[in-house]
Amino acid sequence: MFDISWGELLLIGVVALVVIGPKELPGVLRTLGQWTGKLRRMASEFQSQFQEAMREAEMADLKKQVDEMTSQAQSYAGFDPVADVRREFEGVQRQIESAVADQPKSEASAPSAKSEGDAPVEASAASNASAGTPIPVPKDSQPAEGSPDAQDAGRQPA
């Protein structure tokens, strides 16, 4: 703590003997020793209180960690993997059912989405097929001249 060598202590003792005198020197040294003891006790008490506060802080941290671990363990206690899988399957099943339910609606709306010009051609084609007459083909779908399909287009069905 203090860096005082033996030589310096001897010098302080000689000066104290000369200044205080040999008669009062033992009483002064006794009082100095008592003060030194009191200072040491106070320092020791402060140090022990500081260490106790550190232990309490560590205990509070440990208690906090134990509480966190306990809450995690309780959350794992309610863990049910079968129920989680069941919920996943039910969600996928609902998605599939809704997709299947939506599909016929879109197929039913597909014929109504055709243009008005297509409806008479189909109606006349159905009536011509029953009468045995050739089916008229729209101009944009006729085969090019010189192709085998163009030669067959001029023939009448038997």
Side-chain angles (χ1 to χ4, degrees):
M1 191 163 130
F2 296 110
D3 192 20
I4 299 175
S5 65
W6 287 105
E8 292 170 347
L9 279 177
L10 183 62
L11 181 64
I12 292 171
V14 171
V15 170
L17 182 62
V18 171
V19 173
I20 297 173
K23 191 175 187 182
E24 296 178 13
L25 187 61
V28 170
L29 290 177
R30 186 177 317 117
T31 306
L32 182 66
Q34 288 173 350
W35 285 356
T36 306
K38 286 181 184 180
L39 285 174
R40 285 186 179 185
R41 280 192 297 275
M42 287 174 41
S44 174
E45 186 178 330
F46 175 76
Q47 188 176 12
S48 66
Q49 286 179 352
F50 183 75
Q51 288 176 352
E52 185 178 341
M54 290 297 291
R55 280 193 298 268
E56 287 177 5
E58 288 176 6
M59 291 299 278
D61 288 343
L62 288 174
K63 184 182 182 306
K64 182 179 176 183
Q65 289 177 352
V66 167
D67 290 342
E68 289 174 0
M69 290 171 60
T70 303
S71 66
Q72 284 181 345
Q74 288 174 350
S75 70
Y76 290 140
F79 178 66
D80 187 11
V82 174
D84 292 340
V85 171
R86 185 175 294 128
R87 274 186 250 123
E88 291 283 332
F89 278 132
E90 289 172 355
V92 171
Q93 182 181 4
R94 277 187 239 114
Q95 289 176 350
I96 291 172
E97 288 173 353
S98 66
V100 168
D102 290 345
Q103 188 177 13
K105 292 178 184 175
S106 63
E107 288 177 359
S109 63
S112 64
K114 291 184 179 180
S115 65
E116 295 176 9
D118 291 344
V121 171
E122 288 178 5
S124 64
S127 64
N128 288 341
S130 62
T133 58
I135 301 172
V137 180
K139 293 182 180 181
D140 59 341
S141 65
Q142 288 194 4
E145 289 184 30
S147 70
D149 292 334
Q151 294 169 1
D152 290 338
R155 296 185 190 161
Q156 297 267 340

